[in-house]
Coordinates of all heavy atoms in Angstrom, one line a residue:
Chain A
D14 N 23.7 12.9 -6.4 CA 23.2 11.8 -5.6 C 22.8 12.4 -4.2 O 23.7 12.7 -3.4 CB 24.1 10.5 -5.5 CG 23.4 9.5 -4.7 OD1 22.4 9.7 -4.0 OD2 24.2 8.5 -4.3
P15 N 21.6 12.5 -3.8 CA 21.2 13.1 -2.6 C 21.9 12.3 -1.3 O 21.9 12.7 -0.3 CB 19.6 13.1 -2.5 CG 19.2 12.5 -3.7 CD 20.4 12.1 -4.6
G16 N 22.0 10.9 -1.8 CA 22.6 10.1 -0.7 C 24.2 10.3 -0.3 O 24.7 9.8 0.5
S17 N 24.8 11.1 -1.4 CA 26.2 11.2 -1.2 C 26.7 12.0 0.0 O 27.7 11.7 0.6 CB 26.7 11.8 -2.6 OG 26.4 13.2 -2.7
G18 N 26.1 13.0 0.3 CA 26.3 13.8 1.5 C 25.4 13.5 2.8 O 25.5 14.1 3.7
D19 N 24.6 12.5 2.6 CA 23.5 12.3 3.6 C 23.3 10.7 3.5 O 22.3 10.2 2.9 CB 22.3 13.0 3.3 CG 21.2 12.7 4.3 OD1 21.4 12.0 5.2 OD2 20.1 13.2 4.0
P20 N 24.2 10.1 4.3 CA 24.0 8.5 4.3 C 22.7 8.0 4.6 O 22.2 6.8 4.1 CB 25.0 8.0 5.4 CG 26.0 9.3 5.6 CD 25.0 10.4 5.3
G21 N 21.7 8.6 5.4 CA 20.6 8.1 5.7 C 19.4 8.5 4.6 O 18.2 8.2 4.9
Y22 N 19.7 9.3 3.7 CA 18.8 9.8 2.7 C 17.8 8.7 2.2 O 16.6 8.8 2.1 CB 19.5 10.5 1.6 CG 18.5 11.1 0.6 CD1 17.6 12.2 0.8 CD2 18.1 10.4 -0.6 CE1 16.7 12.6 -0.1 CE2 17.2 10.7 -1.5 CZ 16.5 11.9 -1.3 OH 15.5 12.3 -2.0
W23 N 18.5 7.7 1.6 CA 17.6 6.7 0.8 C 16.8 5.8 1.8 O 15.8 5.5 1.4 CB 18.6 5.7 0.0 CG 19.2 6.6 -1.1 CD1 20.6 6.8 -1.4 CD2 18.4 7.1 -2.2 NE1 20.5 7.6 -2.5 CE2 19.3 7.7 -3.1 CE3 17.0 7.0 -2.5 CZ2 18.9 8.4 -4.3 CZ3 16.7 7.7 -3.7 CH2 17.5 8.3 -4.6
E24 N 17.3 5.7 3.0 CA 16.5 5.0 4.0 C 15.2 5.7 4.4 O 14.2 5.2 4.5 CB 17.4 4.6 5.2 CG 18.3 3.5 5.0 CD 17.7 2.4 4.3 OE1 16.7 1.8 4.7 OE2 18.3 1.8 3.3
R25 N 15.4 7.1 4.5 CA 14.3 7.9 4.7 C 13.4 8.0 3.6 O 12.2 8.0 3.8 CB 14.7 9.3 5.1 CG 15.4 9.5 6.4 CD 15.4 10.9 6.9 NE 16.0 11.9 6.0 CZ 17.3 12.2 5.9 NH1 18.2 11.4 6.5 NH2 17.7 13.0 4.9
F26 N 13.9 7.9 2.4 CA 13.1 7.9 1.2 C 12.2 6.7 1.2 O 10.9 6.7 1.0 CB 14.0 8.0 -0.2 CG 13.2 7.8 -1.4 CD1 13.1 9.0 -2.0 CD2 12.8 6.7 -1.9 CE1 12.4 9.0 -3.4 CE2 12.2 6.7 -3.1 CZ 12.0 7.9 -3.9
Q27 N 12.8 5.7 1.6 CA 12.1 4.2 1.6 C 11.1 4.3 2.6 O 9.9 3.9 2.3 CB 13.2 3.2 1.8 CG 12.6 1.8 2.0 CD 12.6 1.0 0.7 OE1 13.3 1.3 -0.2 NE2 11.9 -0.1 0.6
A28 N 11.4 4.7 3.8 CA 10.4 4.8 4.9 C 9.2 5.7 4.6 O 8.0 5.3 4.8 CB 11.1 5.4 6.1
R29 N 9.5 6.8 3.8 CA 8.3 7.8 3.5 C 7.4 7.1 2.5 O 6.1 7.1 2.6 CB 8.8 9.1 2.9 CG 9.2 10.2 3.8 CD 9.3 11.4 3.2 NE 10.3 11.6 2.3 CZ 11.7 12.0 2.6 NH1 11.9 12.1 3.9 NH2 12.5 11.9 1.6
V30 N 8.1 6.3 1.6 CA 7.3 5.7 0.5 C 6.3 4.6 1.0 O 5.0 4.5 0.9 CB 8.0 5.1 -0.5 CG1 7.2 4.4 -1.6 CG2 8.8 6.2 -1.4
M31 N 7.1 3.9 2.0 CA 6.4 2.7 2.7 C 5.2 3.2 3.7 O 4.1 2.6 3.7 CB 7.4 1.8 3.4 CG 8.2 1.1 2.6 SD 7.5 0.2 1.1 CE 6.8 -1.2 2.0
E32 N 5.4 4.3 4.3 CA 4.4 4.8 5.2 C 3.2 5.3 4.4 O 2.0 5.0 4.7 CB 5.0 6.0 5.9 CG 4.2 6.6 7.0 CD 4.6 7.8 7.7 OE1 6.0 8.0 7.6 OE2 4.1 8.6 8.1
E33 N 3.4 6.0 3.3 CA 2.4 6.4 2.3 C 1.6 5.2 1.8 O 0.4 5.3 1.5 CB 2.9 7.3 1.3 CG 3.4 8.6 1.7 CD 2.5 9.6 2.0 OE1 1.5 9.6 1.3 OE2 2.7 10.6 2.9
A34 N 2.4 4.2 1.5 CA 1.9 3.0 0.8 C 1.0 2.1 1.7 O 0.3 1.0 1.3 CB 2.9 2.2 0.1
A35 N 1.2 2.2 2.9 CA 0.7 1.3 4.0 C -0.8 1.2 3.8 O -1.3 0.0 3.8 CB 0.9 1.7 5.4
P36 N -1.7 2.1 3.7 CA -3.1 1.9 3.6 C -3.4 1.1 2.4 O -4.3 0.2 2.4 CB -3.7 3.3 3.4 CG -2.7 4.3 4.1 CD -1.4 3.6 3.8
A37 N -2.8 1.4 1.2 CA -3.0 0.6 0.0 C -2.7 -0.9 0.1 O -3.4 -1.7 -0.3 CB -2.3 1.3 -1.2
L38 N -1.5 -1.0 0.8 CA -1.1 -2.4 1.0 C -2.1 -3.2 1.9 O -2.4 -4.3 1.7 CB 0.3 -2.5 1.6 CG 1.4 -2.1 0.6 CD1 2.8 -1.8 1.4 CD2 1.6 -3.3 -0.4
D39 N -2.6 -2.5 3.0 CA -3.5 -3.1 3.8 C -4.8 -3.5 3.1 O -5.4 -4.6 3.3 CB -3.9 -2.2 5.1 CG -2.7 -2.1 5.9 OD1 -1.9 -2.9 6.1 OD2 -2.7 -1.1 6.9
R40 N -5.2 -2.5 2.3 CA -6.5 -2.8 1.4 C -6.3 -4.2 0.6 O -7.1 -4.8 0.5 CB -6.8 -1.7 0.6 CG -7.6 -0.6 1.3 CD -8.3 0.3 0.2 NE -7.3 1.0 -0.7 CZ -6.7 2.1 -0.3 NH1 -6.8 2.6 0.8 NH2 -5.7 2.6 -1.2
R41 N -5.0 -4.2 0.1 CA -4.8 -5.3 -0.9 C -4.7 -6.6 -0.1 O -5.2 -7.6 -0.5 CB -3.4 -5.2 -1.5 CG -3.6 -4.1 -2.8 CD -2.3 -4.0 -3.5 NE -2.5 -3.2 -4.6 CZ -2.8 -3.4 -5.8 NH1 -3.1 -4.7 -5.9 NH2 -2.9 -2.6 -6.8
L42 N -4.3 -6.5 1.1 CA -4.0 -7.7 2.0 C -5.4 -8.1 2.4 O -5.7 -9.3 2.4 CB -3.1 -7.3 3.3 CG -2.7 -8.5 4.2 CD1 -1.7 -9.4 3.4 CD2 -2.0 -7.9 5.3
R43 N -6.3 -7.2 2.7 CA -7.6 -7.5 3.2 C -8.4 -8.2 2.0 O -9.2 -9.1 2.2 CB -8.5 -6.4 3.7 CG -8.0 -6.0 5.1 CD -9.1 -5.1 5.7 NE -9.4 -3.9 4.9 CZ -8.6 -2.8 5.1 NH1 -7.7 -2.7 6.1 NH2 -9.0 -1.7 4.4
G44 N -8.1 -7.7 0.8 CA -8.8 -8.3 -0.4 C -8.3 -9.6 -0.6 O -9.1 -10.5 -1.2
A45 N -7.0 -9.9 -0.4 CA -6.4 -11.2 -0.7 C -6.9 -12.3 0.3 O -6.9 -13.4 0.0 CB -4.9 -11.1 -0.8
H46 N -7.1 -11.9 1.6 CA -7.4 -12.8 2.6 C -8.8 -12.3 3.4 O -8.6 -11.8 4.4 CB -6.4 -12.9 3.7 CG -5.0 -13.4 3.1 ND1 -4.8 -14.8 2.6 CD2 -3.9 -12.6 2.8 CE1 -3.6 -14.7 2.2 NE2 -3.0 -13.5 2.3
P47 N -9.9 -12.5 2.7 CA -11.1 -11.9 3.2 C -11.6 -12.6 4.4 O -11.4 -13.8 4.6 CB -12.1 -12.1 2.1 CG -11.5 -13.2 1.3 CD -10.1 -13.2 1.5
T48 N -12.3 -11.9 5.4 CA -12.8 -12.4 6.6 C -14.1 -13.1 6.2 O -14.6 -12.9 5.1 CB -13.0 -11.3 7.7 OG1 -13.9 -10.4 7.0 CG2 -11.6 -10.8 8.1
V49 N -14.7 -13.9 7.1 CA -16.0 -14.4 6.8 C -17.1 -13.4 6.4 O -17.7 -13.6 5.3 CB -16.5 -15.3 8.0 CG1 -17.8 -15.8 7.8 CG2 -15.5 -16.6 8.3
P50 N -17.4 -12.4 7.3 CA -18.2 -11.4 6.8 C -18.0 -10.8 5.5 O -18.9 -10.6 4.7 CB -18.2 -10.3 8.0 CG -17.6 -11.0 9.2 CD -16.6 -12.0 8.5
Q51 N -16.7 -10.5 5.2 CA -16.5 -10.0 3.9 C -16.8 -11.0 2.7 O -17.2 -10.6 1.7 CB -14.8 -9.6 3.7 CG -14.6 -8.4 4.6 CD -13.0 -8.1 4.5 OE1 -12.3 -9.2 4.6 NE2 -12.6 -6.9 4.6
L52 N -16.5 -12.3 3.1 CA -16.9 -13.4 2.2 C -18.3 -13.3 1.8 O -18.8 -13.4 0.8 CB -16.3 -14.7 2.5 CG -15.9 -15.7 1.6 CD1 -14.8 -15.2 0.8 CD2 -15.6 -16.9 2.2
V53 N -19.0 -13.3 2.9 CA -20.5 -13.3 2.8 C -21.0 -12.1 2.0 O -21.9 -12.1 1.1 CB -21.2 -13.3 4.2 CG1 -22.7 -13.2 4.0 CG2 -20.9 -14.8 4.9
L54 N -20.5 -11.0 2.3 CA -20.7 -9.7 1.7 C -20.4 -9.8 0.2 O -21.2 -9.4 -0.7 CB -20.0 -8.5 2.4 CG -20.7 -7.2 2.3 CD1 -22.0 -7.0 3.1 CD2 -19.7 -6.1 2.7
S55 N -19.3 -10.3 -0.2 CA -18.9 -10.3 -1.5 C -19.8 -11.4 -2.2 O -20.1 -11.1 -3.4 CB -17.4 -10.9 -1.6 OG -17.3 -12.2 -1.1
W56 N -20.2 -12.5 -1.6 CA -21.2 -13.3 -2.2 C -22.5 -12.7 -2.4 O -23.1 -12.8 -3.5 CB -21.4 -14.6 -1.2 CG -20.5 -15.7 -1.8 CD1 -19.3 -16.1 -1.2 CD2 -20.9 -16.7 -2.7 NE1 -18.9 -17.2 -2.0 CE2 -19.8 -17.7 -2.9 CE3 -22.1 -16.9 -3.5 CZ2 -19.8 -18.6 -3.7 CZ3 -21.9 -18.0 -4.4 CH2 -21.0 -18.7 -4.4
G57 N -22.8 -11.9 -1.4 CA -24.2 -11.1 -1.4 C -24.2 -10.2 -2.7 O -25.0 -10.0 -3.4
R58 N -23.0 -9.6 -2.7 CA -22.9 -8.6 -3.9 C -23.1 -9.2 -5.2 O -23.6 -8.6 -6.2 CB -21.4 -8.0 -4.0 CG -21.4 -6.7 -3.2 CD -20.0 -5.9 -3.4 NE -19.5 -5.5 -2.2 CZ -18.5 -6.0 -1.6 NH1 -17.7 -6.8 -2.0 NH2 -18.1 -5.4 -0.3
F59 N -22.7 -10.6 -5.3 CA -22.9 -11.2 -6.6 C -24.3 -12.0 -6.7 O -25.1 -11.9 -7.7 CB -21.9 -12.4 -6.7 CG -22.2 -13.3 -7.8 CD1 -21.9 -12.8 -9.3 CD2 -22.6 -14.5 -7.7 CE1 -22.1 -13.7 -10.3 CE2 -22.8 -15.4 -8.8 CZ -22.7 -14.9 -10.1
V60 N -24.8 -12.6 -5.5 CA -26.0 -13.3 -5.6 C -27.2 -12.6 -5.6 O -28.1 -12.7 -6.4 CB -25.9 -14.3 -4.4 CG1 -27.3 -15.1 -4.2 CG2 -24.8 -15.3 -4.4
V61 N -27.1 -11.3 -4.8 CA -28.5 -10.6 -4.8 C -28.8 -10.0 -6.1 O -29.9 -10.2 -6.6 CB -28.4 -9.4 -3.6 CG1 -29.4 -8.6 -3.7 CG2 -28.2 -10.2 -2.2
P62 N -27.8 -9.3 -6.7 CA -28.2 -8.7 -8.0 C -28.5 -9.8 -9.1 O -29.4 -9.5 -9.8 CB -26.9 -8.1 -8.5 CG -26.0 -7.8 -7.4 CD -26.4 -8.9 -6.4
S63 N -27.9 -11.0 -8.9 CA -28.2 -12.0 -9.9 C -29.6 -12.5 -9.7 O -30.4 -12.7 -10.6 CB -27.2 -13.3 -9.8 OG -25.9 -12.8 -9.9
A64 N -30.0 -12.7 -8.5 CA -31.3 -13.1 -8.1 C -32.3 -12.1 -8.5 O -33.4 -12.4 -9.2 CB -31.4 -13.4 -6.6
V65 N -32.0 -10.8 -8.3 CA -33.0 -9.7 -8.8 C -33.1 -9.7 -10.3 O -34.3 -9.7 -10.9 CB -32.5 -8.3 -8.3 CG1 -33.2 -7.3 -8.9 CG2 -32.6 -8.3 -6.8
A66 N -32.0 -9.9 -10.9 CA -32.1 -10.0 -12.4 C -32.9 -11.1 -12.9 O -33.7 -11.0 -14.0 CB -30.6 -10.0 -13.0
A67 N -32.7 -12.2 -12.3 CA -33.4 -13.5 -12.6 C -34.8 -13.3 -12.5 O -35.7 -13.6 -13.3 CB -32.9 -14.7 -12.0
A68 N -35.2 -12.8 -11.4 CA -36.6 -12.5 -11.1 C -37.2 -11.5 -12.0 O -38.3 -11.8 -12.4 CB -36.6 -12.0 -9.5
T69 N -36.4 -10.5 -12.4 CA -37.1 -9.5 -13.2 C -37.3 -10.2 -14.6 O -38.3 -10.0 -15.3 CB -36.0 -8.4 -13.4 OG1 -35.7 -7.9 -12.2 CG2 -36.6 -7.3 -14.3
V70 N -36.4 -10.9 -15.1 CA -36.5 -11.7 -16.4 C -37.6 -12.5 -16.4 O -38.5 -12.6 -17.2 CB -35.2 -12.4 -16.8 CG1 -35.4 -13.4 -17.9 CG2 -34.1 -11.4 -17.0
A71 N -37.8 -13.3 -15.3 CA -38.9 -14.3 -15.1 C -40.3 -13.5 -15.1 O -41.2 -14.0 -15.7 CB -38.7 -15.1 -13.9
W72 N -40.4 -12.5 -14.3 CA -41.7 -11.7 -14.3 C -42.0 -11.2 -15.7 O -43.1 -11.1 -16.0 CB -41.4 -10.4 -13.3 CG -42.6 -9.8 -13.1 CD1 -43.8 -9.9 -12.5 CD2 -42.9 -8.5 -14.0 NE1 -44.7 -8.9 -12.6 CE2 -44.2 -7.9 -13.5 CE3 -42.1 -7.6 -14.8 CZ2 -44.7 -6.8 -14.0 CZ3 -42.6 -6.4 -15.2 CH2 -44.0 -6.1 -14.9
M73 N -40.9 -10.6 -16.4 CA -41.3 -10.1 -17.7 C -41.8 -11.3 -18.8 O -42.6 -11.0 -19.4 CB -39.8 -9.5 -18.4 CG -39.6 -8.1 -17.8 SD -37.9 -7.6 -18.3 CE -38.3 -7.4 -20.0

Side-chain angles (χ1 to χ4, degrees):
Chain A
D14 179 0
S17 64
D19 176 6
Y22 176 83
W23 289 112
E24 289 312 311
R25 289 201 304 280
F26 180 101
Q27 177 95 14
R29 274 198 297 274
V30 173
M31 294 310 289
E32 190 184 333
E33 297 276 332
L38 285 167
D39 284 346
R40 274 197 303 277
R41 285 181 175 275
L42 193 64
R43 281 199 303 272
H46 304 288
T48 59
V49 172
Q51 282 173 333
L52 208 62
V53 170
L54 204 67
S55 67
W56 262 93
R58 263 189 226 116
F59 170 74
V60 169
V61 170
S63 302
V65 168
T69 307
V70 170
W72 178 81
M73 285 171 67

